[in-house]
Amino acid sequence: MADDDFSYLIVQPENGRITDLLRYGIFGNKSSGAKFLHSSHQHIIQEELSSVVSDSGQEPGETPDHRWVIIVSIIMRKLIKIFGKPMEWTGYVVEFILNLLSLNGNLLGLFANLLLGKVVIPRRGSATFISTIGHIDGRIDLDSGDVFVVGKDVAKLGERMESGNRSLMDLCMMASKLAYENANVIRNVVNLHWKMHFVDFYDCWNDYQKDKSTQVFIFCDKQKDANLIVISFRGTEPFDADDWITDFDYSWYEIPKLGKVHMGFLEALGLGNRSNPSSFQEILQTTNTKNDFDEKETENPKTKLFPEMVVMTAYFAVRSKLKSLLKEHSHAKFMVTGHSLGGALAILFPTVLVLHDEDEVLERLLGVHTFGQPRVGNRQLGTYMESRLDDPIPKYYRVVYCNDIVPRLPYDNKTFLYKHFGVCLYYNSFFVGQRMEEEPNRNSHGLWYVIPEYVNAVWELVRGLGMGRRYGEEYKESWEGIMMRMMGLVIPGVSAHAPPNYINSIRLGKLRHVQMSTL
């Protein structure tokens, strides 16, 4: 394949009818299935429909059938799209009610304030308006044992930090949860509670969705002569249909020598638009390296096709700010983190830095820690990135809690190309962890797995009711958190995805066979 021979496959649920889906799903009618697919090359569509896939991650002798995977992607995206607006409206109502109750002392306090005419009305975007995620888990302080807590001996922190450290893992998870909040809430927590330095919050453009749907914030451990810079991407929001559609998307874009990458995640970083597939090639081609897309170079001829992406999108905004911070703090290293969709963006950010030959920046990368992250690409991508991130020690840690459904997306088996990579730290529902290559039941389906998942969901609900008594007041679950556990009785993998499980795993968990390093 020539360097400029980029290829892609786009699954388009809107381009076919239900009858086409039935013909394709039941009878294997290729012409009906082809209506849902668009590709750079006709042979790619034929390979998908004919169960013959050319993928470097394929085992010898495999002849995979992608039909059922494409069907699942189409059905889920159609359903989520149908309920998109109701989901959005429900989210607004739920968040307003949650904040109305919390700002007025819950239900009894609200009634009292109504009688006194002193009701506090929530204002979205204010420093007191908390997200649904923030209500499910209200913890904002770092673990008392963390070296980042004010008063700890951090004089030699820069020399002793290493990826996989428990304190660093806790800081990253708390930053990943905090990313769900608005800029004012984040600033207050970072500056006032963590006693660190808030740098900036970015509300970034997704050109395919035509919306500012990618959020990320940056902070340092201190304002001057910092040792650590943290970049935290916001994850899948509970009531955001576009986020869930992205998680269930099967579309991919193949970058020569690097591998196939999830197209929706590339779009979320601002690296192209499937409506104009050539935009991926223009932005991702390795000739556009170093400063071609920096803010000072927006007049560069290579960027004139997509100037809005340079100014408004996550990859370019964060990269530009990161470079200036690394110059300002000459001894600092940087971490990238995120939960859910944010985890996918967190690992793709250094991936594109590698593609753009940003070697000086990558030399300062301390690590990538993700939590409940979906798969981002194929085996070729994983092999390539592990060769860059595991020398001399692993820098990429992927934490998975129990039955969380999102790390099992998009599906990975003999019929699918998406593969996880990096070090997997898997925690069961007793917070016992194990370092492994892949989480158990990697596709979260099958009768032998479904029944234990529901049994485990009952156990997690019971456990949640007693967390405060067993582990201390800070682990007591809110009534919103208990409601989330009850949702798990219907869809176990969704409740397992919630941030409290990951915070508890890091703080209470014990790893078997291998110990996380401690400071």
Side-chain angles (χ1 to χ4, degrees), residues 53-81:
V53 178
S54 176
D55 179 61
S56 60
Q58 183 179 322
E59 297 294 338
E62 287 186 358
T63 54
D65 178 4
H66 279 44
R67 179 168 52 180
W68 74 270
V69 188
I70 295 174
I71 291 171
V72 169
S73 175
I74 293 170
I75 292 174
M76 292 304 300
R77 290 171 62 191
K78 277 183 174 292
L79 287 174
I80 295 171
K81 191 72 173 179

Side-chain angles (χ1 to χ4, degrees), residues 223-288:
Q223 187 170 1
K224 294 183 179 180
D225 195 24
N227 292 303
L228 180 65
I229 301 165
V230 179
I231 301 167
S232 179
F233 288 90
R234 181 180 294 181
T236 304
E237 297 186 74
F239 300 101
D240 192 317
D242 288 331
D243 283 356
W244 286 103
I245 286 173
T246 299
D247 287 338
F248 279 97
D249 196 2
Y250 170 49
S251 307
W252 51 261
Y253 196 88
E254 183 169 16
I255 305 171
K257 300 180 180 179
L258 193 66
K260 294 176 180 177
V261 185
H262 190 290
M263 185 175 287
F265 300 152
L266 289 176
E267 290 168 329
L269 275 180
L271 297 167
N273 182 339
R274 71 185 67 192
S275 299
N276 179 16
S278 64
S279 61
F280 292 101
Q281 182 175 0
E282 176 68 20
I283 294 172
L284 290 171
Q285 60 183 329
T286 54
T287 56
N288 288 341

Side-chain angles (χ1 to χ4, degrees), residues 80-98 124 129 132 237-242:
I80 295 171
K81 191 72 173 179
I82 291 172
F83 292 103
K85 279 299 179 183
M87 286 175 64
E88 180 183 349
W89 297 333
T90 301
Y92 275 104
V93 171
V94 168
E95 285 194 340
F96 180 84
I97 292 174
L98 291 177
R124 190 174 296 274
F129 194 94
T132 302
E237 297 186 74
F239 300 101
D240 192 317
D242 288 331

Side-chain angles (χ1 to χ4, degrees), residues 325-370:
L325 288 171
L326 291 175
K327 289 180 181 178
E328 180 183 351
H329 305 285
S330 58
H331 300 294
K333 293 187 176 183
F334 73 97
M335 289 289 304
V336 194
T337 190
H339 168 260
S340 191
L341 169 63
L345 304 185
I347 185 56
L348 280 184
F349 179 73
T351 298
V352 183
L353 290 178
V354 168
L355 181 65
H356 284 169
D357 295 330
E358 295 285 356
D359 295 333
E360 291 184 6
V361 175
L362 289 165
E363 285 177 2
R364 309 278 290 277
L365 174 64
L366 178 60
V368 181
H369 288 172
T370 70

Side-chain angles (χ1 to χ4, degrees), residues 310-410:
V310 178
V311 178
M312 302 171 65
T313 60
Y315 173 75
F316 298 112
V318 172
R319 190 182 75 169
S320 178
K321 189 62 178 180
L322 175 61
K323 285 184 174 182
S324 67
L325 288 171
L326 291 175
K327 289 180 181 178
E328 180 183 351
H329 305 285
S330 58
H331 300 294
K333 293 187 176 183
F334 73 97
M335 289 289 304
V336 194
T337 190
H339 168 260
S340 191
L341 169 63
L345 304 185
I347 185 56
L348 280 184
F349 179 73
T351 298
V352 183
L353 290 178
V354 168
L355 181 65
H356 284 169
D357 295 330
E358 295 285 356
D359 295 333
E360 291 184 6
V361 175
L362 289 165
E363 285 177 2
R364 309 278 290 277
L365 174 64
L366 178 60
V368 181
H369 288 172
T370 70
F371 308 86
Q373 170 216 311
R375 299 178 176 101
V376 299
N378 67 349
R379 186 172 295 160
Q380 180 185 355
L381 176 73
T383 301
Y384 185 87
M385 287 306 298
E386 284 179 338
S387 69
R388 297 297 299 264
L389 295 180
D390 285 358
D391 185 22
I393 60 173
K395 293 182 179 180
Y396 173 34
Y397 285 83
R398 184 175 59 84
V399 182
V400 178
Y401 170 77
C402 199
N403 296 323
D404 186 349
I405 191 174
V406 175
R408 278 91 175 178
L409 297 173

Side-chain angles (χ1 to χ4, degrees), residues 135-201:
H135 281 282
I136 290 174
D137 190 304
R139 288 173 288 189
I140 56 175
D141 292 322
L142 302 176
D143 187 29
S144 59
D146 286 0
V147 296
F148 298 102
V149 173
V150 177
K152 295 285 184 179
D153 180 13
V154 294
K156 296 183 178 180
L157 179 61
E159 301 175 9
R160 295 153 61 194
M161 287 188 303
E162 61 181 27
S163 185
N165 172 273
R166 186 183 293 274
S167 292
L168 193 58
M169 192 78 75
D170 181 71
L171 176 66
C172 285
M173 182 56 229
M174 292 300 290
S176 297
K177 184 174 81 75
L178 187 60
Y180 288 98
E181 307 300 335
N182 66 61
N184 289 314
V185 173
I186 293 173
R187 180 185 291 106
N188 282 351
V189 171
V190 171
N191 291 344
L192 303 180
H193 290 266
W194 297 355
K195 305 300 181 183
M196 297 186 183
H197 174 58
F198 172 80
V199 175
D200 212 343
F201 176 90

